[in-house]
Amino acid sequence: QAILAQDSWDRFGRVPKAPARRAAAGSSMAVATEAGGSPSYTWSQSDSEVVVTVPLGAVAKDKLKVKMEPSRLTVLLGGVSLFSKELSGKVVVDDSYWSLEGSGDARSLVATLLKRKAMSWRALTKEEEEALPGKSELDEDFDIMALEHDDDDPERVEEQEENERRLEARYKKFVSEKGLDHEDTLQTFFALFDNCIQLYRLNKLS
């Protein structure tokens, strides 16, 4: 069980108002291991949040440093990196927090990260995601939410242009196979519309 509330902090060193959350039932879970076979971290997710657990052992909390960023989580112990990876999706830092659980050698850091967009991540880290087989935008189960533009990074024009190409191909396929009124076609159209607004290319949809 969790240690006392005073051992829970967000990035500002504040104690969270609510007790540590856990991923909902039915969420996915994965374990990453070191070369020797011991777990370096585990993670689970629901549609709205990710929970990352990093084993610490019997350590003093004043040697622990945790840094949460929109696209990265870093855990340092005595200046040594236990976890420092770019995340596969973005999180809301102000609504994310961490806590210490267990005691002695079983003590772990648990970071609860609120996803910026409610969706399932294929992997925890960008590196792991890039190692997975790619999915085509023409696949029925392709998640078009993954192609949505990030309003906090408006200068990524090349990425938006690539998203436009992929969404347009998906839209044409669904129009041909399912018709204009099908839910999948409409969902793809609105995603394409949003992307075109960002690129000021509404004439393409006329």
Side-chain angles (χ1 to χ4, degrees):
Q1 66 182 37
I3 296 180
L4 299 178
Q6 58 262 34
D7 277 352
S8 297
W9 303 273
D10 63 11
R11 69 181 182 124
F12 299 111
R14 303 173 304 196
V15 176
K17 294 180 181 179
R21 296 168 291 180
R22 288 292 176 270
S27 62
S28 58
M29 177 174 287
V31 179
T33 59
E34 299 171 338
S38 60
S40 57
Y41 66 88
T42 61
W43 74 286
S44 60
Q45 67 170 318
S46 65
D47 284 341
S48 61
E49 66 185 22
V50 172
V51 178
V52 184
T53 302
V54 181
L56 299 177
V59 298
K61 68 179 181 182
D62 58 358
K63 294 184 178 181
L64 185 65
K65 181 178 180 180
V66 181
K67 184 177 183 180
M68 295 178 175
E69 301 173 86
S71 299
R72 177 175 287 273
L73 174 65
T74 301
V75 180
L76 301 175
L77 183 60
V80 177
S81 175
L82 298 183
F83 186 101
S84 181
K85 297 179 183 293
E86 183 179 3
L87 302 172
S88 65
K90 292 196 173 184
V91 301
V92 182
V93 175
D94 289 348
D95 292 324
S96 301
Y97 59 89
W98 60 273
S99 62
L100 296 177
E101 297 190 0
S103 60
D105 291 338
R107 201 176 210 192
S108 296
L109 175 136
V110 179
T112 303
L113 311 174
L114 181 67
K115 295 177 180 177
R116 179 170 294 179
K117 295 177 181 177
M119 59 183 291
S120 178
W121 291 5
R122 298 180 66 203
L124 174 62
T125 70
K126 197 73 171 177
E127 180 182 14
E128 294 166 344
E129 183 181 40
E130 290 175 349
L132 295 174
K135 279 198 171 188
S136 169
E137 65 275 0
L138 302 182
D139 293 341
E140 290 283 341
D141 60 348
F142 181 79
D143 187 0
I144 63 173
M145 292 288 290
L147 298 182
E148 282 196 351
H149 177 65
D150 184 356
D151 293 334
D152 290 341
D153 195 359
E155 302 302 325
R156 299 175 68 174
V157 175
E158 291 183 1
E159 179 186 59
Q160 288 177 266
E161 290 177 340
E162 175 63 15
N163 289 348
E164 178 186 6
R165 182 195 66 76
R166 299 176 71 181
L167 287 168
E168 192 168 15
R170 182 179 176 88
Y171 176 69
K172 289 179 178 179
K173 176 178 184 288
F174 284 172
V175 167
S176 174
E177 296 179 357
K178 301 184 178 185
L180 284 170
D181 296 330
H182 193 278
E183 180 181 356
D184 291 340
T185 306
L186 293 173
Q187 185 182 40
T188 303
F189 171 81
F190 287 118
L192 177 60
F193 181 81
D194 181 66
N195 195 80
C196 286
I197 287 177
Q198 298 292 338
L199 288 170
Y200 304 101
R201 294 185 178 181
L202 294 182
N203 60 307
K204 289 178 66 72
L205 299 178
S206 60

